[in-house]
Amino acid sequence: MNRSEDTTQSEPTTDAEAGSAFLDSIEFLTGPDPNLGSFLLVVGMVTTVFIALFQLTLPAPVSTLLTAGVLSVTVLSAIFGLLLDSFGYFDQATTTTTAAPASESDERTTDARPWVPAEKTSAPLPPLINFDAELRAYADMFDGDLPEAFDPFISDYRRLKTNTRNRATIASDLRADLNPIGALFEDGSEGDRLYEDISQRLFRYLGDRQEHVTLDRVAFYDEEGNETDVRAIENQPGRVELDITNEGEAAEVEVSVALYDEDNSVISSHTYSVGRVSPGATKTLDTDIFVPSNAERASTTIRSSESSGSGASV
């Protein structure tokens, strides 16, 4: 009995494939799961727009001919849609998308990546609070079936990915959600190491925002383009390169370079705008600088649009 049913269902395979190809060709008009009503509605709307365009912008003989052509296409489209509906094409497409919603517990146990939100993320997470790699590692530990202790953390983590206005508040909730996860692992274990890393990064994210932006490299060059110590340039123009990395949210950044003499007094100071540095990005500032002859060392200070702080000495 089952075999005969399978055979009868396989007979119209060619027709179904042809219908699927046609659906793909009109999906940009009717959506991924069209029905007869939406199909005819779109056809009618397009027809109305074209007729109005022709009648209002073209002279009588041309507009009449074009309008007749549009109406002919409309009638053919409607007939074709009715034929598809008579063969159950639209009904079949609708029934294939209808399914009983899974419960939250089923989703937690069957979804291999429950930390990925169904809706589109509003903005990429900065590296400090992007825990996808850590959650994948946890999922591997439990063969893809994370314990219920992870549920509050994963729920708030999905909120974090789809919200940019109150990420600090959600990140604070994530720290509280970590407590039940930490209780699952022994001190020094791989799970405990991941827990400590997540906790420290959340603490840093919620702390001084200036610490999110770091100066990775400062290099001075002479007029010939050779990298050298700032003291070797001696009363001549040079060039300075600075690499700035942002591990937090996007920020407007500027860098100050101060030059000091042997008495540790500032003899020259320059402030440069780095511009907007995106989350996880490294931006290089390459600019000219004049170095006085009595310069002994240089120091840098980074300031972002959110806070300010000191940098490093060279």
Side-chain angles (χ1 to χ4, degrees), residues 215 217-223 225-230 233 236-244 255-259 268-274 283-291 297-301 312 314:
L215 185 62
R217 184 180 71 95
V218 180
F220 287 91
Y221 297 84
D222 58 23
E223 289 184 294
N226 301 314
E227 184 175 354
T228 183
D229 187 87
V230 66
I233 301 179
Q236 58 182 317
R239 192 165 51 85
V240 59
E241 281 186 359
L242 306 101
D243 290 343
I244 297 96
V255 178
S256 295
V257 179
L259 302 176
S268 177
S269 180
H270 308 271
T271 299
Y272 307 99
S273 175
V274 181
K283 199 167 185 178
T284 299
L285 175 68
D286 185 347
T287 185
D288 295 331
I289 188 173
F290 182 83
V291 180
R297 69 178 183 90
S299 71
T300 58
T301 303
V314 180

Side-chain angles (χ1 to χ4, degrees), residues 248-263:
E249 303 290 352
E252 294 289 333
V253 179
E254 64 179 19
V255 178
S256 295
V257 179
L259 302 176
Y260 296 81
D261 60 16
E262 61 181 4
D263 297 324

Side-chain angles (χ1 to χ4, degrees), residues 166-278:
N166 59 339
R167 275 183 171 172
T169 301
I170 301 174
S172 181
D173 294 339
L174 281 177
R175 288 196 66 198
D177 297 335
L178 268 180
N179 294 331
I181 295 176
L184 297 174
F185 305 100
E186 295 181 357
D187 292 343
S189 64
E190 178 65 13
D192 181 66
R193 185 192 66 79
L194 292 172
Y195 161 80
E196 291 292 343
D197 181 57
I198 294 174
S199 179
Q200 291 175 8
R201 285 160 60 188
L202 283 171
F203 182 80
R204 184 180 169 196
Y205 178 81
L206 294 170
D208 186 0
R209 295 297 179 97
Q210 173 59 32
E211 296 182 1
H212 301 174
V213 182
T214 57
L215 185 62
D216 300 329
R217 184 180 71 95
V218 180
F220 287 91
Y221 297 84
D222 58 23
E223 289 184 294
E224 286 73 32
N226 301 314
E227 184 175 354
T228 183
D229 187 87
V230 66
R231 291 173 294 183
I233 301 179
E234 292 185 358
N235 200 32
Q236 58 182 317
R239 192 165 51 85
V240 59
E241 281 186 359
L242 306 101
D243 290 343
I244 297 96
T245 298
N246 183 15
E247 295 183 282
E249 303 290 352
E252 294 289 333
V253 179
E254 64 179 19
V255 178
S256 295
V257 179
L259 302 176
Y260 296 81
D261 60 16
E262 61 181 4
D263 297 324
N264 209 30
S265 299
V266 177
I267 56 176
S268 177
S269 180
H270 308 271
T271 299
Y272 307 99
S273 175
V274 181
R276 185 179 186 274
V277 184
S278 301

Side-chain angles (χ1 to χ4, degrees), residues 11-12 29 58 75 78 98 102 111 129 142 162 184 225 260 262 277-278 295 304:
E11 289 177 357
L29 291 174
L58 298 175
V75 172
T98 303
D111 189 354
I129 53 174
F142 295 97
T162 56
L184 297 174
Y260 296 81
E262 61 181 4
V277 184
S278 301
S304 73

